[in-house]
Amino acid sequence: MAKRYWYVVITYIIMQFSGFVFAPLLYLLTPLGQMQASIYWSIFSFIAALAIVLLLLRPDMKTTPHRNAASAGEIVLWSIAGLFMAYFANYIATMIETYVLGITPGSENTQMIMDITRTVPFFVIVTAIVAPILEEIVFRKIIFGELYKRMGFFLAAAISAFVFGIIHGEPEHILIYASIGFVFAFLYVKTKRIIVPIIAHMVMNSISVIIQLLLDPERIEQMMKQLEQMQMILIGG
């Protein structure tokens, strides 16, 4: 693996754990509350990490695209198709987790992000733009891309998706993260353009944030219960 890719992964890891050290310092040195200090440090660290990663990947940006890489029009089409594919994969994985594995639906990670966004609305920039770019570069371009050179698609996608799920702190929902990871990996391989899974990921996150910000928690819970009832009818429960 190229040295700059190692630096990208190290930058991402440092960003993930930097809050343990610098958020408390920010809290001590500023009038911010403890939670606000943690949120503002997360915003800063994500944006700083993205800037560093893009600087490290300048050589990649200057290289000639693969001869079979998707055109501008194909990028748009595959991004739209990929969004629907990701939602479908997410739905199937959720059904398996709920009715086969007995895992309670719902993501604590998503709920935490929404709580943070309601506290500091600017955090939506991280959720909708910065995080998807970083995650697709790290998990699809680098981890999956390097593994794919050495093994088949399925195993490379599975390993990268597993790491993707672990980083999000929800191993119980590894199947959901894996299903989405498989779709994004497929988009990357199919189009030879990392921008395609980035766009699909950004739009997916943005839709999730917008829906949850527009609806109050009670309404979301009611809709989830209605959806579960419909699912039980469809599967004959």
Side-chain angles (χ1 to χ4, degrees), residues 12 46 78-84 86-87 109 113 126-140 164 168 177 180-181 183-185 187 194-209:
Y12 184 79
F46 265 92
W78 275 109
S79 296
I80 296 172
L83 178 64
F84 285 99
Y87 274 121
N109 182 62
I113 290 173
V126 171
T127 306
I129 299 175
V130 181
I133 296 174
L134 281 174
E135 290 174 356
E136 291 310 308
I137 288 174
V138 172
F139 295 103
R140 248 61 67 182
F164 183 57
H168 283 76
Y177 285 106
I180 297 173
V183 170
F184 291 158
L187 294 175
I194 191 61
I195 190 63
V196 174
I198 285 176
I199 293 173
H201 196 159
M202 288 171 62
V203 175
M204 194 173 188
N205 279 19
S206 299
I207 291 173
S208 177
V209 169

Side-chain angles (χ1 to χ4, degrees), residues 48-122:
L50 178 59
I52 294 170
V53 166
L54 293 179
L55 284 173
L56 290 170
L57 293 181
R58 281 184 300 175
D60 295 68
M61 299 176 192
K62 295 177 181 179
T63 57
T64 304
H66 193 279
R67 63 176 183 172
N68 295 325
S71 63
E74 290 172 329
I75 287 174
V76 174
L77 291 175
W78 275 109
S79 296
I80 296 172
L83 178 64
F84 285 99
M85 291 166 62
Y87 274 121
F88 180 74
N90 187 10
Y91 175 79
I92 296 299
T94 301
M95 292 299 96
I96 294 174
E97 281 193 357
T98 303
Y99 297 109
V100 177
L101 303 178
I103 298 173
T104 303
S107 169
E108 291 183 7
N109 182 62
T110 300
Q111 186 57 53
M112 180 187 68
I113 290 173
M114 295 313 305
D115 291 341
I116 291 173
T117 304
R118 290 186 180 98
T119 303
V120 180
F122 188 71

Side-chain angles (χ1 to χ4, degrees), residues 7-26:
Y7 292 152
V8 168
V9 174
I10 291 171
T11 298
Y12 184 79
I13 293 173
I14 291 174
M15 177 209 72
Q16 288 285 348
F17 295 100
S18 64
F20 291 109
V21 175
F22 292 102
L25 285 177
L26 191 62

Side-chain angles (χ1 to χ4, degrees), residues 157-214:
I159 294 173
S160 61
F162 176 78
V163 179
F164 183 57
I166 294 299
I167 284 292
H168 283 76
E170 293 188 306
E172 70 276 15
H173 294 305
I174 195 71
L175 188 60
I176 290 177
Y177 285 106
S179 67
I180 297 173
F182 268 88
V183 170
F184 291 158
F186 169 77
L187 294 175
Y188 182 39
V189 170
K190 181 68 178 180
T191 63
K192 308 292 190 301
R193 301 274 196 180
I194 191 61
I195 190 63
V196 174
I198 285 176
I199 293 173
H201 196 159
M202 288 171 62
V203 175
M204 194 173 188
N205 279 19
S206 299
I207 291 173
S208 177
V209 169
I210 291 170
I211 290 175
Q212 296 200 51
L213 285 178
L214 291 178

